[in-house]
Amino acid sequence: MNKNIKLYIDMDGCLAKWNTDASIEETFEPGYFAGLEPEESLIDAVKMLAQEYDVSILSAVYQDNHSAGDKISWLKKNGLGFLDTIFVPYGESKQKYINHDYTSILIDDYSKNLEEWVLTSNCYGIKFLNGINSTKGQWTGFMIPGKMNSQALYKTIRGIVSEIVAA
Ligand SMILES: [Mg+2]
């Protein structure tokens, strides 16, 4: 286990597929986040990465009485209940919720989150291309195509981590 590195993984649009058919109102409904379709290849890659690295879930949640619980249910249902989980109130920087004593690598589908993330030294971002988010936005850092299988995702993320550590 590499103790100097922490990997943080976003849920919506990464581990959990973004439901483009859902209205904003539907996302507020109890159970919505528990029922999202899993991105199986990334989930399997994260399970493999968790054997070597300290991996945490880092996900934004609505400040209601059920969304965090729904996300915990989803993680358990999809075999990721063993990971540390950090929930960030929607709209707040994910940076504010982590321990800065480590090299911190965030995998996220949202460029704004990644841009905020890399403003702090020792923080690195990897954009997960889920087929819905833009590939021509402002993010010019590391990217991983979500279409890869779990082995390829695992190897690619591992390669990026090695590159970051070696730099
Ligand atoms: Mg996301």
Side-chain angles (χ1 to χ4, degrees):
M1 181 73 68
N2 191 318
K3 298 234 181 256
N4 301 316
I5 301 169
K6 283 186 185 281
L7 286 183
Y8 295 95
I9 321 286
D10 174 47
M11 289 180 72
D12 303 307
C14 288
L15 295 168
K17 287 187 184 172
W18 191 252
N19 179 0
T20 48
D21 296 331
S23 65
I24 293 285
E25 289 71 25
E26 283 173 277
T27 71
F28 294 147
E29 285 170 14
Y32 173 77
F33 289 102
L36 289 175
E37 210 183 310
E39 190 74 74
E40 300 284 3
S41 54
L42 184 61
I43 290 171
D44 288 342
V46 165
K47 286 176 185 165
M48 290 186 256
L49 289 163
Q51 316 256 329
E52 287 163 67
Y53 302 102
D54 186 332
V55 179
S56 301
I57 299 296
L58 184 55
S59 177
V61 287
Y62 296 140
Q63 298 301 284
D64 56 21
N65 61 2
H66 59 84
S67 288
D70 287 340
K71 287 196 168 194
I72 295 280
S73 301
W74 187 95
L75 289 165
K76 285 183 180 158
K77 187 166 74 180
N78 290 289
L80 296 173
F82 67 99
L83 294 174
D84 285 341
T85 301
I86 304 168
F87 288 132
V88 176
Y90 252 114
E92 288 202 33
S93 167
K94 291 187 170 185
Q95 269 291 348
K96 292 196 335 204
Y97 291 82
I98 65 157
N99 181 333
H100 288 278
D101 295 337
Y102 304 88
T103 296
S104 301
I105 303 170
L106 172 67
I107 300 175
D108 204 294
D109 64 312
Y110 188 32
S111 289
K112 182 172 171 285
N113 286 346
L114 293 162
E115 296 286 351
E116 280 175 358
W117 185 261
V118 299
L119 290 176
T120 305
S121 66
N122 232 14
C123 286
Y124 301 86
I126 302 173
K127 184 165 178 171
F128 184 72
L129 304 176
N130 58 18
I132 301 165
N133 55 357
S134 166
T135 55
K136 347 176 248 250
Q138 69 271 47
W139 179 253
T140 53
F142 296 109
M143 296 184 215
I144 42 172
K147 283 198 169 128
M148 293 195 290
N149 67 29
S150 55
Q151 273 295 334
L153 279 171
Y154 163 68
K155 285 183 185 159
T156 303
I157 294 167
R158 228 172 151 266
I160 293 172
V161 172
S162 306
E163 202 176 313
I164 288 168
V165 173

